[in-house]
Amino acid sequence: MLALVAALVWPRPGQAALLVPLGGSDTRSVIAWAAREETPLLALDTTRGRVIARIIGNAGLLRALGEGILPLAVRAPGCGTDPRR
């Protein structure tokens, strides 16, 4: 079951991901994590606590989990990457 959930919601490198702060984390900690990982931010909504970033690699995602940040794959139009770029 865990593998199925991970396959559906785990972002792949190059994809956009919604970074959800968990527990004691907040939007500032998500932004700080993105800066340390050199992950480009695609959208930032501090009123709702939403951060969407382009994922560089899986190692950074595992570090995000360790810091209380849940990365969820974003498959909505406008949130994906443009292969022509």
Side-chain angles (χ1 to χ4, degrees):
M1 184 63 155
L2 179 61
L4 177 61
V5 171
L8 294 175
V9 299
W10 189 257
R12 310 299 184 274
Q15 283 186 326
L18 173 64
L19 304 173
V20 180
L22 301 174
S25 298
D26 61 4
T27 304
R28 290 177 298 211
S29 63
V30 173
I31 294 169
W33 170 84
R36 282 192 306 277
E37 296 290 327
E38 298 180 358
T39 300
L41 298 179
L42 301 175
L44 179 61
D45 181 358
T46 55
T47 59
R48 293 185 189 167
R50 294 182 183 177
V51 177
I52 297 177
R54 182 168 296 136
I55 298 307
I56 302 298
N58 285 323
L61 295 175
L62 293 174
R63 287 189 290 273
L65 286 174
E67 292 188 31
I69 301 168
L70 178 63
L72 300 172
V74 177
R75 290 180 172 74
C79 291
T81 56
D82 185 356
R84 295 174 291 188
R85 289 187 193 176

